[in-house]
Amino acid sequence: MRYFTYIAEQSFKHLEDGQCLFYLGSPFSRPYIVPDVATESRLRGKLTWYHRIFLGTLIVSQPFLLPYLIQKTWMFFAFLAAVVALNSVVIRILFWTDLRNLSRRPNHVPLRTCYAAATAQHSENTLTLGFSVSLAFVVIAVPMLFFGPGPFVAGLTGIVFFGLCAIVWGYKLKRKRSANKLEKGLVESTHAGRDTL
């Protein structure tokens, strides 16, 4: 399924100098340097299958777990903390052998550079879809604010999380559109110059 492949792709950033970086943490962490295309392909495939299993299980279980989790606020946050911790531990174990053979950058990549690389990897349509889906989840979470303490916390968490996602997607989309306009302007300028010759 393309959805899980796309999630896995977010962990890889290609810089302008051709260097490929692999992130297993936040954009503020020091990424791993991927030496060649074959290694990147192996890591990407492995991460995609991990997301298919882990996130797929999480998504399928939500209709059964959520009614119990939202009854008490602490249960909801305990569940979120457990999922984050489990994901971190499992993914480190899964990639332990691969990471031992990769070197890390001496410092983290500036956030602006990281977003520029991510923007260049995707089309304007893809970024528009990501932005729209994030906004849709924010809208879906809003009604939960009015159904009691448990749903309120779940809804608020969804609004904050997907709201932040929408901001990131919107920023990428804005950069992409600016780059496309600049590229279009350069092409038109080049054609105009040829026509005058």
Side-chain angles (χ1 to χ4, degrees):
M1 186 181 291
R2 179 62 188 171
Y3 174 74
F4 296 107
T5 302
Y6 179 73
I7 293 176
E9 288 175 352
Q10 305 312 299
S11 296
F12 297 86
K13 301 291 182 288
H14 294 85
L15 303 185
E16 292 182 353
D17 60 5
Q19 190 176 61
C20 177
L21 304 178
F22 178 48
Y23 285 84
L24 275 183
S26 73
F28 299 101
S29 63
R30 291 192 300 122
Y32 294 88
I33 300 173
V34 182
D36 50 59
V37 176
T39 302
E40 180 186 355
S41 179
R42 186 181 73 253
L43 292 173
R44 190 189 303 270
K46 196 171 184 179
L47 190 58
T48 299
W49 273 107
Y50 169 75
H51 285 318
R52 284 174 178 166
I53 296 171
F54 187 84
L55 295 180
T57 302
L58 193 61
I59 292 171
V60 171
S61 65
Q62 289 309 297
F64 306 99
L65 294 176
L66 202 56
Y68 299 98
L69 295 174
I70 62 177
Q71 291 180 8
K72 294 183 179 180
T73 303
W74 72 266
M75 289 180 61
F76 179 77
F77 283 112
F79 175 74
L80 287 182
V83 169
V84 171
L86 180 62
N87 174 69
S88 179
V89 171
V90 172
I91 208 167
R92 292 288 174 178
I93 294 174
L94 184 64
F95 284 91
W96 174 255
T97 303
D98 300 287
L99 299 181
R100 285 191 305 172
N101 299 322
L102 298 179
S103 57
R104 302 185 74 171
R105 281 181 61 101
N107 47 41
H108 76 276
V109 178
L111 199 59
R112 186 180 182 87
T113 303
C114 193
Y115 279 131
T119 301
Q121 289 177 225
H122 305 293
S123 67
E124 185 174 330
N125 288 338
T126 299
L127 296 174
T128 300
L129 178 62
F131 178 66
S132 301
V133 170
S134 297
L135 285 182
F137 276 113
V138 170
V139 173
I140 291 172
V142 169
M144 298 180 69
L145 299 177
F146 306 98
F147 293 105
F152 176 87
V153 173
L156 185 61
T157 302
I159 291 172
V160 172
F161 176 76
F162 290 108
L164 291 174
C165 289
I167 291 173
V168 172
W169 281 112
Y171 176 71
K172 292 180 183 178
L173 181 58
K174 182 179 179 181
R175 288 183 61 97
K176 189 69 174 183
R177 286 179 174 172
S178 297
N180 287 345
K181 286 180 180 179
L182 179 61
E183 184 178 349
K184 184 179 179 181
L186 290 174
V187 171
E188 291 176 349
S189 177
T190 301
H191 286 314
R194 289 176 181 174
D195 292 339
T196 58
L197 295 178

